[in-house]
Amino acid sequence: GRMPATSALMGLGSHRLHRWQSGVPSNTPAVQGGLFYGNRDEVPGYRWYDRGQDRVLVSSSPSDLREAEKATAEGRQALLADGSCINSLLSGGAAKRLLTLSVMRGTRGDRRADERADFNLFWLNPWAYTSAVISTVWEFLAALVWMVIARFDPRKNMIRRTLRDAAARAVGNAFLRETAFFWLEQDVARGVPVIYSNFVGYDEVAHMAGPDAGEALATLTSFDRKLQRLRRQLQKSPMNYDLVILA
């Protein structure tokens, strides 16, 4: 199939497929609030009106997410305490937060030295950033091809695609995937006790093309290849990691 590495996990008996309910609303911040803190009540939607503050809050705002996460975490134990959080909306109480929206644009002291070091490590690794850039350019070109195809397909031409959409797709489906797996591998090698990473590639493409579209399913294949590489590293790690995939 499209995800042989994932299928192998179930075929070997090390993993099982479970059905789970994300709840309502099913947007990412609410789901992460429930996952990280066991509380999803503070984020009622992507955009909501807060009567106490008499203003509209939105999940794409770092400052609004900081307030929402603070309320979500109050009096609760964080799942990612002493761990790391990569490419996420909420931090889950992680000690290290990389590309995590709720801690962006904060005070200068909010970013720890180890977080700055990991960013520098990525850019100082010629293979890592070259692979990320090439993958991003390739994905952008692929998005242009699918854009042309959509112009001649009435089922796909319902949503107008722009160059900005192609660029967002390239970043979300390629660059963020490459950086996330690079930092995942670094944290596994260091023996970080708990690591969480969010991958937005399928979501980015499926919103535009549809959940069953070939171009959306192709993003899962790219993710699966990276997962196979990570799985091999997990087997060599001195830590006994549990690999959990949420979809």
Side-chain angles (χ1 to χ4, degrees):
R2 292 183 179 273
M3 303 183 72
T6 306
S7 298
L9 293 175
M10 292 184 287
L12 294 172
S14 62
H15 288 69
R16 289 183 296 174
L17 183 64
H18 296 276
R19 183 183 299 273
W20 72 293
Q21 297 292 334
S22 62
V24 178
S26 59
N27 62 333
T28 302
V31 173
Q32 288 184 346
L35 178 65
F36 295 155
Y37 302 105
N39 177 18
R40 51 179 298 120
D41 298 334
E42 303 300 331
V43 186
Y46 180 81
R47 188 186 301 269
W48 70 99
Y49 176 75
D50 188 289
R51 293 183 178 180
Q53 302 184 55
D54 190 27
R55 68 183 185 93
V56 174
L57 280 72
V58 60
S59 296
S60 59
S61 167
S63 59
D64 290 349
L65 272 185
R66 267 196 301 275
E67 293 183 18
E69 181 165 21
K70 183 178 179 180
T72 301
E74 187 174 357
R76 296 175 180 269
Q77 185 174 358
L79 177 67
L80 303 182
D82 299 323
S84 66
C85 184
I86 302 168
N87 190 24
S88 178
L89 294 182
L90 303 186
S91 69
K96 184 171 64 177
R97 302 82 40 96
L98 299 169
L99 295 181
T100 299
L101 189 60
S102 66
V103 299
M104 290 182 179
R105 300 180 185 176
T107 61
R108 187 175 180 85
D110 284 345
R111 177 168 291 181
R112 293 159 39 115
D114 54 352
E115 296 171 358
R116 294 193 295 268
D118 270 21
F119 275 101
N120 294 336
L121 186 62
F122 172 78
W123 291 111
L124 289 173
N125 187 312
W127 168 256
Y129 72 75
T130 301
S131 175
V133 171
I134 291 175
S135 296
T136 303
V137 173
W138 178 261
E139 185 63 31
F140 180 75
L141 295 176
L144 295 181
V145 172
W146 283 107
M147 185 187 303
V148 174
I149 293 175
R151 292 292 179 93
F152 299 95
D153 189 337
R155 294 173 302 174
K156 295 181 179 295
N157 200 28
M158 297 176 65
I159 300 178
R160 182 175 178 82
R161 306 189 188 197
T162 65
L163 290 177
R164 182 176 180 179
D165 296 327
R169 167 178 171 160
V171 172
N173 189 38
F175 189 80
L176 294 182
R177 181 191 65 225
E178 296 295 322
T179 55
F181 270 108
F182 175 81
W183 288 323
L184 275 170
E185 292 174 346
Q186 297 301 314
D187 283 343
V188 167
R190 295 165 180 155
V192 176
V194 56
I195 312 166
Y196 172 87
S197 181
N198 186 37
F199 296 91
V200 299
Y202 172 81
D203 198 45
E204 183 71 39
V205 179
H207 274 305
M208 186 68 63
D212 297 326
E215 54 184 306
L217 297 177
T219 65
L220 300 179
T221 304
S222 300
F223 167 82
D224 191 72
R225 285 196 293 265
K226 289 291 183 179
L227 180 65
Q228 175 63 13
R229 176 175 167 177
L230 178 64
R231 178 171 166 247
R232 288 195 295 264
Q233 184 163 346
L234 290 173
Q235 293 172 341
K236 300 176 183 178
S237 173
M239 293 283 290
N240 186 21
Y241 283 106
D242 292 321
L243 177 62
V244 180
I245 302 174
L246 296 175

